Amino acid sequence: MKIKHADFITSAVRKNQYPETGHPEVAFVGRSNVGKSTIINAITNRRKLAKVSNTPGRTRLVNFFLINEAAMLVDLPGYGYAKISKTEKAAWGKIIEDYINSSPHLKRFVLLVDSRHKPTADDIAMMEYFRYFEKDVVVIGTKLDKLKRNDIRKSEKLIRETLELTDKDQLILYSSTSRENLQAVIDLVFHDILPEDE
């Protein structure tokens, strides 16, 4: 599967601002510093499609990108950034929750976690939310290049145990630096959403 086209469509904070394309949607969600924008840029092979900030927590909007003119990649605001007020946290949470509950075209979530560390309480809460509402979700562990090779299995085991993943739940560790497992990520994220021959 190849990503041939990727275009920014719009940013939104409420339902009436979401684009009405009718395309299936894949939503990316994760902590503010997990590397969400970087992996989106790698998947789409566009360096600056999603804005990468040195300051975590800058993305406060729901960003929509059209992929191969057939699907929408949705970048949700990052959660868990400590240096924001409770009011801001609540506002971000509402933006995410409103999108999750109101988008009729949402087909899959991509939960990003930092493969170097045990998933956080926020990561666990997000996974439990998906599980409770029976959402299709895949988990991607970022920053694989920061792990020693003999720690990869340990990291996978820790992520699976902490998020209570079953053998059927999909988990891939990925590196934006080396692009290791990039194609596997693309194939997993867009499985049954984009045609296999794309």
Side-chain angles (χ1 to χ4, degrees), residues 33-70:
N33 58 352
V34 78
K36 190 155 45 71
S37 297
T38 303
I39 195 172
I40 289 171
N41 289 339
I43 285 172
T44 58
N45 199 27
R46 295 274 302 275
R47 282 187 179 181
K48 297 181 180 180
L49 186 66
K51 293 180 180 178
V52 179
S53 173
N54 291 326
T55 305
R58 283 285 174 87
T59 304
R60 306 184 187 203
L61 302 167
V62 180
N63 295 309
F64 293 83
F65 304 93
L66 180 60
I67 306 298
N68 287 2
E69 300 180 358

Side-chain angles (χ1 to χ4, degrees), residues 31 34 79 111-127 139-142 154-165 171 173:
R31 285 178 59 81
V34 78
Y79 56 77
L111 176 61
L112 301 176
V113 298
D114 190 328
S115 64
R116 301 171 299 174
H117 308 296
K118 181 178 179 179
T120 66
D122 288 325
D123 296 327
I124 295 168
M126 191 62 69
M127 191 68 196
V139 181
I140 307 296
T142 63
K154 293 177 188 175
S155 176
E156 288 179 339
K157 186 172 184 288
L158 182 61
I159 292 170
R160 283 192 170 277
E161 288 178 350
T162 305
L163 296 179
E164 297 182 358
L165 302 182
L171 168 66
L173 302 192

